[in-house]
Each structure stands twice: as structure tokens, then as C-alpha cells.
Amino acid sequence: MLLLLWMNTVSNKMDDCSKRSPILILLLGFFMSILFLFATIQTLIASECYHYHTSKSYQIIVKNNGVYYQFTERDPNGFSYARQVIIPIKGIDKESYKSIGEDEGTLMFSDKNGFYMLSKREPSDDKEVIYSKVLGPNINQKHINGRLYFIDGKWVYMDGWGNNITKVELTELPRNLVNVKCYSYSMYVKNENKVFVVSIDLNSDKKYTWSEIPHLNPENLIYYSCNQLKNEDYIADENHMFCIRKEGSFADVTPQLMALGVKNYNSLKLINADIPMWQKERYILKKRDGASVSSKDPLTGKDIDVEYSYSGFKPLIPAYGNINYTLYANKIYPIWDDNFSQAYTVKTDAAKLKAIQDKLLQGSDFYYFEDANNFKIISTNISADAKFFPEVYSYNSYLPKALVDENYIYFIADQFKTHLDNKKRLTSQIVKQLGTFYLFNNSLFDGKKSYPIIADYASISYLGSYVEVLNACSGDMPNSEQVSVKYHHFFKDKNKVFYFDEQKEHLQIIQTADPRDYIYDDYLGMKTLYKIKDLRGRMSISSSPQVNYYWFGGIATVLLGVIAYVLKKRS
């Protein structure tokens, strides 16, 4: 904006000088073009931002004193808070509150006084939340997901922000509709005979379009919910399957599945929503990973691209994380190898291996993919009885997965090699994973360094953590400030509460905090602990209230003084 104002000023100066110096005009014009190009390039340069990697959730919660909107943002590790805001929703009756719908952009709810919409977004004001009342009270009001309302014999689409309520009358829709899947601007619905998609376009003259999704039997319809980030869900009956998207489009994938020999599409079990994967008896139907094969449409004989695979492989479903490997003909393959062209070399019975996390497998002992040869699975020589701890990825740190037996803790990081020293000898049998730390040998270990603790070793537990974002974004320029975040961790044992600052690398006793007052994953509780962490004092822990003899002694001294003073005055 400042650049545009400056350019406008320079343009005015150029008009004043236009009759004096044509060369000056050319130089100024060239200079302005360079600046404009530089500004454009700067906006196109991809920047790194901490909030690109966080997860966000939006919900309405009911407390004893009212109804609240809660926005929560968490670190990539899944448990550290980046932010949480809880704002009262004023004017909503707590006793009659009811959630009636939700889509990717809006929360819909009602109470005895009417029907409402609240937009999902990061709150800019921590004191007030803006919502819309779209209809008055009606206990028998028929609606679909709080988006479509049946009013005066016709369906009406509702959208709202504050006092601005948008209504679109869908006069052509059948009366007896029920929900299949509802997005902000498209709705998949059905009646007893057909399945429809309704698309809302507030910028067009007609405002909406609707059409039938052909062939589907609404009575036997099933909905498959996949990864929301990929915008690819499925609906199917026994004979047809369609891929659907949130903008209201749909594609018939039935010919592709028929070419593979798949039947009865509504009896499949979805077992992986990231890369759509269904199981039917001992066969697996899978969306190919970025590739397709050529085949023929059984109905028309025409050549078609098939984006799915169907075979009798067994997915190795891990205890933690995503499915990465499959078992076929007693050999292990990467999940993307739909043609089984590259098998991993493994010197054991592959059928007896279980997936644990990423490259770690469990059989007669633990096995791992050797980094020097990614298609070779080697034994770690660690007993299968060892206890496993999953890895933790935070924004600026990594806690490797670990195995623990009676004598050692083994760190199975991304660069794990059997000939390297990836272990530490244990001097205590107690090993815990506490947030982004391992507790062993009376120390906290963050994957790189160990920090001796002053807490009770047996009873110490993790209360949680939150992130202080020092610099949220950085550009790609060499002199741009880098993203910077700071983690605040909290622990407690049977007697005390502790604060660990990653930068100071010190476990500090919070002297005025009682461990009985704090529970795990309480954002407000951790914020309170941070405020009082440096206060001096002493918290006495006991099973019953203690008599304060100093208090009684003080009162007695004062009373004796008053009595002595009165007696003296009388004498």
C-alpha cells in the first residue's frame, strides 16, 4: 500500500515534469517498473509460517454458566497448544441449546428462541463472538444439517454473518428430502426414489442449480468419508460408486471398478481415509498413488484410465501412523507399488511381521529398513518383548521412537543403523514418555540432551505444554527473520508442580502451586502456572487441613495486650 501511494506521488511529479525533461520521465518510469516488479516478486515468494503446520478445531461447548465458542490450535505434535480461545455466546439459552449441524465453514445450533449459525474462523476478538439468528422458534421445524429449512412448502437455503441473512428459495426441490452429506455451498440429499446434488451460487441470477446423480438406489446408499484435505469422498449403492467433492461435482467411477472386477460397492469397509482404501473379504480396493493404468470399459468396450487397483494384498496396518507397506505373496512392498514390482528383501517370514510405525516392524525381534538400501529389511537384534514408544514431531524438534528392554533404551530415529550406537544403558527400570521428552536415569531427554530432574521419579507426570510464537512467518530472502517458537512445558509429581523452559534448560519448582489443582491438557491451567511460576512461597501438601498455630498465637497475643491495657486503665 505504501508503495502504491509513493508510485502515485511520483506519477503526479512526472506529470509536472512532462514538459521539462522527457529523459527524466523515462528514467522515473524505468525505476517505478523495477520497484513494481520487485514488489510483485516479493508477494509471489513462498514464505514459511508456523501456522501452516498447526491443526485447528472449532466447537461449541456448554458450561455451568453458559454456552461458549471454543477455538483451539495445536502444534504439529498434536498436543502442545498454539492457542485456545473460549468466548461466551451471549443470548443463548443453556438448558435448551442443541447442536443441529456442521459443515466445513459453519456451526449450526438452536435453542428455545430460534435457529442460529456461527462461522468457523479464528476469532479476532476474544470477548465477543458474532453469530446469526436465521429463524425464530419452532419445535417442529424441519431442516437438513441446519442449512436447508422447509418453510411454507418449499426448501430454503440459509447463510448468515451477523445481521446479514441470505435466503435462497429452492422451489424445484422435492419435499421429502433427507441428508446424505452437507457442505457450505453444496448438499447431497436423497428421497425414497433418487439422489440429488444441490449447488448454491450466490453470485448468479438463479442462485442455485440441482441435478440427479444417476443410477443410485437411495435405500441402499452408503457414504464413505475420506481425508477432508483431499476433497474426495464417495457415495455408493450395490451397483454404482461416485466420487464427490465439496463444490458439488461428482464423477462416476463405476466403469473403472467394473474393469477391475469389483462388485457390491456399498459392502466395502474403508480402512484408510488418507489414500482411499477399502477391504472386501481378502481383497483390497485402493486409489492409485498418482498414477493410472489403461483398461476397457466392460459396458462400452472403450479404452479408459483406471485410477484404482484391486488385488489380494494385505495392508500392514501399523500400531501408530499411516499404512506404508503391504504384504503380497509373502513379500513386503511399499504401498504405492500397485503392480508389486519392487519387493523388500527380508531374511525372515514376512507373513509374521507386524507394522509398528514408519519403517519399524515386529517379528521374532524388531526389524528395520536399512537406510543405505531402502529395499532391505534388517534385524535390529532387539527382542520383540521390548516396550515401544512412538515418535513425536514438533515444529522445531523431533523425539525419535524408542524401544526399551531391561538394560537399554534404543532410539530408532530416521537414520537408524544397527552398527551405530543408538542406545543408552538404563540405571533404573522406570522409563516414561512425557510429552516431547523421555524420562530415564533420573533425567529428561529431548532427543539430543539430558536434563537432571529434581522431581519424585516414580510419580512425575506430564501436565502439557503450549507454544509461544515469537515470529510466525519468514520469507525466502536471506536477511528475513526466521520462524521462531518457544515451548513451555509443565509437570507435576505427588508433591510439587514444575515448569520447564526449553531455552533455559531447567526444571523449576513452582512453589505456590498445589499439584492437586492441576490436570493434564488444561490450557488455562498452564497459563495460570506460567504467571505464578516465579512467586515465592511454600505449598504444604497434607491429607487433612492443618491447624495454624501461628494464627491462634497472634490472636491470643493481641487479646492479652487488650486485656492488660484495660486493666491498667482501670487501675
Side-chain angles (χ1 to χ4, degrees):
M1 180 61 70
L2 291 174
L3 178 62
L4 290 175
L5 291 173
W6 183 86
M7 290 173 64
N8 183 59
T9 302
V10 173
S11 178
N12 293 334
K13 295 293 184 182
M14 288 176 62
D15 291 338
D16 295 338
C17 297
S18 60
K19 296 180 181 180
R20 300 179 184 178
S21 178
I23 296 177
L24 179 60
I25 294 173
L26 291 174
L27 290 174
L28 286 172
F30 176 76
F31 184 59
M32 288 173 60
S33 299
I34 294 297
L35 283 177
F36 178 75
L37 179 62
F38 177 76
T40 303
I41 292 174
Q42 280 292 89
T43 59
L44 294 177
I45 289 176
S47 64
E48 164 66 5
C49 288
Y50 170 73
H51 300 285
Y52 292 163
H53 308 277
T54 59
S55 61
K56 301 173 179 65
S57 63
Y58 315 82
Q59 63 182 124
I60 297 176
I61 58 175
V62 179
K63 295 187 173 185
N64 293 333
N65 57 344
V67 181
Y68 292 81
Y69 169 69
Q70 178 176 286
F71 166 75
T72 303
E73 182 180 12
R74 290 188 187 266
D75 186 80
N77 63 32
F79 53 81
S80 295
Y81 285 93
R83 185 185 178 198
Q84 186 177 73
V85 178
I86 301 176
I87 311 172
I89 306 177
K90 299 177 182 178
I92 301 301
D93 180 69
K94 176 176 73 74
E95 303 301 329
S96 59
Y97 164 83
K98 182 180 180 182
S99 174
I100 60 173
E102 179 181 356
D103 56 36
E104 76 277 19
T106 310
L107 297 165
M108 282 70 74
F109 58 98
S110 67
D111 69 0
K112 66 179 182 180
N113 299 312
F115 296 81
Y116 310 90
M117 289 184 172
L118 194 160
S119 176
K120 291 179 179 178
R121 59 178 61 191
E122 296 183 27
S124 57
D125 185 349
D126 295 354
K127 298 180 180 179
E128 184 178 5
V129 61
I130 298 174
Y131 63 94
S132 304
K133 183 176 183 179
V134 297
L135 278 180
N138 184 348
I139 193 172
N140 297 315
Q141 178 67 59
K142 182 179 179 180
H143 69 88
I144 294 176
N145 198 48
R147 274 291 187 190
L148 298 180
Y149 291 86
F150 195 69
I151 303 171
D152 298 331
K154 57 182 175 290
W155 289 100
V156 179
Y157 168 85
M158 295 286 194
D159 194 21
W161 171 249
N163 295 325
N164 299 320
I165 310 300
T166 300
K167 298 181 180 181
V168 179
E169 294 185 356
L170 312 175
T171 56
E172 301 170 281
L173 265 63
R175 292 189 171 202
N176 51 337
L177 294 176
V178 295
N179 187 31
V180 176
K181 177 62 177 179
C182 192
Y183 297 102
S184 292
Y185 298 104
S186 65
M187 284 117 277
Y188 295 87
V189 293
K190 68 178 183 178
N191 61 12
E192 67 274 11
N193 299 315
K194 298 179 180 180
V195 180
F196 307 94
V197 58
V198 181
S199 297
I200 305 297
D201 185 356
L202 300 178
N203 297 319
S204 68
D205 293 334
K206 190 178 179 182
K207 303 298 184 186
Y208 79 98
T209 58
W210 73 291
S211 59
E212 177 192 349
I213 302 179
H215 311 308
L216 289 173
N217 178 3
E219 183 178 355
N220 297 326
L221 193 71
I222 190 170
Y223 171 73
Y224 296 109
S225 177
C226 298
N227 190 325
Q228 294 182 1
L229 298 177
K230 296 182 182 296
N231 185 22
E232 184 179 72
D233 291 351
Y234 293 82
I235 52 176
D237 65 7
E238 61 272 29
N239 298 315
H240 298 86
M241 181 181 280
F242 286 81
C243 174
I244 65 172
R245 300 182 184 276
K246 64 183 179 182
E247 62 268 19
S249 63
F250 57 89
D252 189 356
V253 299
T254 310
Q256 299 184 53
L257 305 190
M258 292 179 65
L260 295 172
V262 186
K263 298 179 181 179
N264 299 325
Y265 310 122
N266 62 352
S267 62
L268 302 169
K269 179 184 178 182
L270 185 67
I271 59 174
N272 186 0
D274 292 321
I275 300 176
M277 180 186 293
W278 298 266
Q279 186 167 15
K280 183 175 176 61
E281 298 172 351
R282 64 185 184 90
Y283 290 94
I284 298 293
L285 172 66
K286 174 185 168 296
K287 179 74 181 290
R288 288 181 176 269
D289 190 4
S292 63
V293 296
S294 297
S295 187
K296 289 189 179 295
D297 186 335
L299 299 177
T300 65
K302 295 181 178 180
D303 291 335
I304 59 173
D305 291 330
V306 178
E307 299 179 316
Y308 302 85
S309 65
Y310 187 58
S311 63
F313 72 81
K314 177 184 177 182
L316 296 181
I317 302 176
Y320 300 88
N322 298 323
I323 301 174
N324 294 319
Y325 309 104
T326 63
L327 180 69
Y328 181 74
N330 206 35
K331 294 182 179 179
I332 293 177
Y333 297 85
I335 193 172
W336 49 261
D337 190 2
D338 303 297
N339 299 317
F340 308 109
S341 58
Q342 180 65 67
Y344 289 100
T345 302
V346 53
K347 295 181 179 180
T348 187
D349 185 357
K352 294 182 179 179
L353 292 178
K354 299 178 182 178
I356 303 301
Q357 186 179 38
D358 294 338
K359 298 179 180 181
L360 186 65
L361 305 172
Q362 184 182 33
S364 56
D365 56 13
F366 280 94
Y367 291 79
Y368 202 71
F369 293 77
E370 189 175 43
D371 291 292
N373 182 355
N374 203 34
F375 284 93
K376 183 179 179 182
I377 301 176
I378 59 175
S379 172
T380 62
N381 296 318
I382 302 173
S383 170
D385 296 328
K387 185 177 181 180
F388 173 74
F389 294 97
E391 63 194 9
V392 179
Y393 280 97
S394 299
Y395 180 78
N396 62 359
S397 64
Y398 166 62
L399 187 69
K401 62 181 76 67
L403 294 169
V404 176
D405 62 18
E406 292 183 356
N407 300 312
Y408 294 96
I409 178 170
Y410 305 86
F411 300 108
I412 317 296
D414 291 337
Q415 301 299 319
F416 178 82
K417 292 180 174 63
T418 54
H419 64 276
L420 297 179
D421 187 11
N422 303 288
K423 63 187 179 182
K424 292 184 181 294
R425 178 172 288 278
L426 297 175
T427 58
S428 171
Q429 293 302 307
I430 297 179
V431 178
K432 301 178 184 179
Q433 189 179 73
L434 303 177
T436 58
F437 301 89
Y438 286 116
L439 173 72
F440 64 92
N441 295 352
N442 208 40
S443 297
L444 291 173
F445 179 70
D446 65 0
K448 296 180 180 179
K449 297 177 63 176
S450 292
Y451 312 97
I453 65 170
I454 52 177
D456 178 71
Y457 190 73
S459 64
I460 187 173
S461 63
Y462 191 59
L463 284 175
S465 57
Y466 70 86
V467 183
E468 181 183 352
V469 181
L470 304 176
N471 183 47
C473 294
S474 71
D476 286 348
M477 300 300 291
N479 60 344
S480 62
E481 185 180 357
Q482 297 301 303
V483 175
S484 178
V485 298
K486 180 179 179 181
Y487 291 82
H488 301 283
H489 301 272
F490 299 88
F491 302 83
K492 74 173 182 178
D493 64 13
K494 62 182 180 180
N495 296 319
K496 301 180 183 68
V497 180
F498 305 89
Y499 167 70
F500 185 86
D501 186 329
E502 286 190 342
Q503 291 184 347
K504 294 183 179 179
E505 301 180 351
H506 174 64
L507 191 64
Q508 168 189 341
I509 298 174
I510 305 178
Q511 297 182 5
T512 57
D514 187 335
R516 296 172 298 187
D517 296 335
Y518 297 94
I519 59 175
Y520 171 70
D521 198 36
D522 179 7
Y523 179 73
L524 294 180
M526 287 185 283
K527 285 288 190 176
T528 300
L529 286 171
Y530 185 78
K531 291 179 181 179
I532 66 172
K533 68 182 180 66
D534 296 320
L535 293 181
R536 299 295 179 183
R538 182 177 181 182
M539 179 56 61
S540 177
I541 306 300
S542 61
S543 58
S544 60
Q546 297 293 310
V547 177
N548 194 327
Y549 294 102
Y550 293 102
W551 187 76
F552 281 106
I555 293 177
T557 301
V558 171
L559 289 175
L560 288 174
V562 171
I563 293 172
Y565 175 78
V566 172
L567 292 175
K568 184 177 179 181
K569 292 289 284 184
R570 286 185 177 180
S571 65

